[in-house]
Amino acid sequence: MTISRILVLLAVLTAAVGPVSAVTFQETKLGPMPPANINSEDDLKFMAPQIAEMEAMGFAIEALSCITDRQGFHIAAVVPTKDGKVCAWLDGRKGPAYDQIRHATRGAYSAREFRFSPDGRRLAYTARKGSKWMMVVDGQEGATYDSLREAYFSMDGKRVAYVAFRDNKSILVIDGKESPPYAEIAMHLPYVVSDTPFRKVDDTYCPVRFASNGRTAYIASNGRNQYFAIIDGKPGPIYEHVGSIEFSPDGSRVAYTARKNEKEFVVLDGKPGPKYDGVEAALVFSPDGKRMAYVGTNYDANSDPIQMLVVDGKEIARYRVIEDASIMFSPDGKHLTYTASADGEKYFVVLDGEAGPKYDEIGGFGGRVYATFTPAGKLVYRATRGEKRFMVVDGVESPAFDDVSDVPVYSPDGAHYAYHARENDHSVVVCDGVKGKTYFNVYEESIAFTSDGKLVYQASSDTGDTVTVVGAEERPGIYHPVVSADGKHPAFSRDKQADDMNNKVVVFGDAESGRFMTLLKKHFLPDGTLEFLAVRDESGERGLSYQLYRVTAK
């Protein structure tokens, strides 16, 4: 297909979702790519003696071997210095040198100790000078400790916490402020929820709970069988054990599980609830925070479990199994759903007390995703019968396949849904219950909708040809589609004939970016600006002078 034909097709798509007028691409050079990325002690031993020569030659690694945040805002690496130390490299700039960055386990450095915040805007990593460790957040060094663990950010990225160790005591550091020292601070709070647009899992295993209104909660101990929840810096009653902690969405309420005299219960707003042999990890508030649900477990004379769904302190249902991670209130708070089993073999979804059909399995891989609500309030979940899987939407089973996505993708107005499915080692996209064309592969992350309800995704054929599907049309020659949150602005990548390695461009509206050798993940900012990082080979020779750019278009 000719370049002119591709541009005509792009113009047709842009016209379909609304014009993007006077688009201009702006490039900001950030600096050269680093000569190396250190991931293990062996990497450092090999690279450090050669780093001066590598830098003199202009040697640079490819961007894809570095670390990027989920959205593609930043790119980072750990690079050796000429004197055998290491430093962090972020968006073309080197940070201070340290004796070590990240702890090593069996020679490999911990990836969790060099991480971006969930919003992709901040970077935190552990660093050592001499025998002392510190946390470096946004380039600023924290206090020194004998040792410390990885940093955890709040979901909005505004707050950060980590557990540090000094004089054989544990300290929780929140936004640079230290807690009192304790014998132990719970490193990984249980946090079992569905991975859906309504409930997130980014801070799974975080030692502190951040509430949306700034409140905090964590668990500490001063000795064996002496555990207590610390809410807003104030220790609560001592129990034999304290487990999960959860805030309501607005942060006004807090609940946690506790054990005393070999019985477990939930403490809600400081008041203990009914006692059980065990309480499961998930503590689920309704969106308005007025209701709260969890699962309590008792054992019968045969040591078989009987699980109770407890809502607002009252038992409303009993089953052999209630999946605590499946409990969910609808976005308007009017409905409650969960997954249960009467015999431990067949499972069903319960909505407002009414049990649905029985299946061999409900939910996604590893039980991470159960039933969810669509933006329009319909119940949707993945189910398994025998060897086949399918979506159940508002009580109606969609076509069965070898496998289907955990949750669908929705159009901006919530009127349409789509998901990826596998059949006979091939892929299809199902839109509003209708099976689309079969391809060798569909890139699930590319599935999106335009504002007028057209489905957009990238697919490849058995021969390896890549196309972007827009509605009922196949658009060859363009790939990696992204669509703004409002569905009005699509953007794509495409290859362009070139005499050097810089043969990739981004097309947005009727404009085209400059040529690059590597394009990193494209994303839209809240104001509709398209942004991405890209690498250009400015020497024309492989391995030399790879320059990093930040590119925007609006």
Side-chain angles (χ1 to χ4, degrees), residues 456-480:
V456 178
Y457 60 91
Q458 178 183 331
S460 60
S461 67
D462 287 303
T463 59
D465 296 326
T466 297
V467 299
T468 290
V469 180
V470 182
E473 297 183 58
E474 291 181 343
R475 309 284 173 87
I478 57 177
Y479 55 91
H480 292 170

Side-chain angles (χ1 to χ4, degrees), residues 68-72 195 405 407-410 418-421 427-429 441-449 455-459 479-483 491 520-522:
T68 58
D69 66 276
R70 295 181 184 180
Q71 292 82 0
D195 187 6
S405 303
V407 291
V409 174
Y410 301 102
Y419 58 89
H420 171 243
S427 292
V428 299
V429 174
N441 190 38
V442 169
Y443 298 87
E444 187 171 353
E445 290 187 356
S446 71
I447 299 175
F449 283 93
L455 184 63
V456 178
Y457 60 91
Q458 178 183 331
Y479 55 91
H480 292 170
V482 293
V483 181
L520 298 182
K521 189 173 182 178
K522 301 184 292 291

Side-chain angles (χ1 to χ4, degrees), residues 6-21 450-452 454 470 473 475 487-490 492 507-510:
I6 292 173
L7 291 176
V8 168
L9 289 172
L10 290 172
V12 171
L13 174 58
T14 299
V17 299
V20 181
S21 59
T450 62
S451 56
D452 63 349
K454 283 188 171 65
V470 182
E473 297 183 58
R475 309 284 173 87
K488 295 180 179 179
H489 306 302
F492 308 87
V507 180
F508 183 37
D510 57 359

Side-chain angles (χ1 to χ4, degrees), residues 31-39 60-70 72 74-79 87-92 102 111 114 116 123 518 520 533 535 546 548:
M33 291 296 296
N37 184 28
I38 303 301
N39 291 309
I61 59 175
E62 293 240 12
L64 299 181
S65 65
C66 295
I67 302 166
T68 58
D69 66 276
R70 295 181 184 180
H74 298 289
I75 183 171
V78 177
V79 302
C87 66
W89 176 92
L90 176 65
D91 296 344
R102 302 163 298 178
F114 192 88
F116 286 101
L123 176 67
T518 303
L520 298 182
L533 294 170
V535 178
Y546 291 178
L548 178 67

Side-chain angles (χ1 to χ4, degrees), residues 230-446:
I230 300 177
I231 313 296
D232 302 326
K234 299 178 181 178
I238 295 175
Y239 296 104
E240 296 166 4
H241 181 73
V242 176
S244 303
I245 298 183
E246 196 61 70
F247 283 104
S248 60
D250 64 0
S252 63
R253 309 184 71 189
V254 62
Y256 60 89
T257 63
R259 184 174 67 231
K260 189 174 184 179
N261 298 327
E262 299 184 353
K263 289 292 183 178
E264 295 190 2
F265 46 91
V266 171
V267 180
L268 176 61
D269 299 330
K271 298 179 180 179
K275 294 178 174 60
Y276 299 95
D277 294 335
V279 173
E280 305 305 311
L283 306 175
V284 184
F285 284 94
S286 60
D288 61 7
K290 294 181 179 179
R291 307 183 70 192
M292 201 274 288
Y294 61 91
V295 174
T297 302
N298 284 329
Y299 294 91
D300 62 20
N302 297 320
S303 297
D304 292 325
I306 301 173
Q307 296 197 306
M308 283 69 65
L309 181 69
V310 184
V311 181
D312 304 328
K314 299 179 181 179
E315 297 177 6
I316 66 169
R318 289 189 174 207
Y319 292 103
R320 176 58 55 86
V321 178
I322 299 176
E323 300 285 2
D324 62 311
S326 71
I327 302 171
M328 178 175 284
F329 290 92
S330 60
D332 62 8
K334 295 180 180 179
H335 305 284
L336 175 65
T337 184
Y338 56 94
T339 296
S341 173
D343 56 9
E345 296 182 3
K346 297 292 184 178
Y347 290 81
F348 46 87
V349 172
V350 181
L351 175 62
D352 297 333
E354 295 293 327
K358 295 179 180 180
Y359 299 104
D360 295 328
E361 183 180 338
I362 301 289
F365 175 75
R368 282 172 54 86
V369 184
Y370 292 91
T372 63
F373 291 94
T374 71
K378 297 179 180 179
L379 191 68
V380 56
Y381 56 92
R382 188 180 91 157
T384 301
R385 182 186 292 119
E387 299 296 323
K388 294 295 183 179
R389 294 182 176 89
F390 43 88
M391 285 288 180
V392 181
V393 181
D394 201 24
V396 178
E397 295 182 4
S398 295
F401 297 93
D402 297 334
D403 200 8
V404 298
S405 303
D406 288 345
V407 291
V409 174
Y410 301 102
S411 59
D413 62 3
H416 304 281
Y417 69 90
Y419 58 89
H420 171 243
R422 293 286 293 176
E423 184 177 46
N424 299 324
D425 294 326
H426 284 67
S427 292
V428 299
V429 174
V430 180
C431 183
D432 296 335
V434 179
K435 175 184 172 182
K437 181 178 177 179
T438 299
Y439 294 94
F440 177 72
N441 190 38
V442 169
Y443 298 87
E444 187 171 353
E445 290 187 356
S446 71

Side-chain angles (χ1 to χ4, degrees), residues 194-227:
S194 298
D195 187 6
T196 72
F198 309 110
R199 311 232 301 278
K200 304 292 184 179
V201 297
D202 289 69
D203 58 345
T204 302
Y205 304 128
C206 178
V208 61
R209 285 286 175 267
F210 293 109
S212 60
N213 62 353
R215 301 179 68 189
T216 60
Y218 60 98
I219 299 170
S221 172
N222 276 330
R224 184 177 178 84
N225 293 331
Q226 290 187 344
Y227 292 88

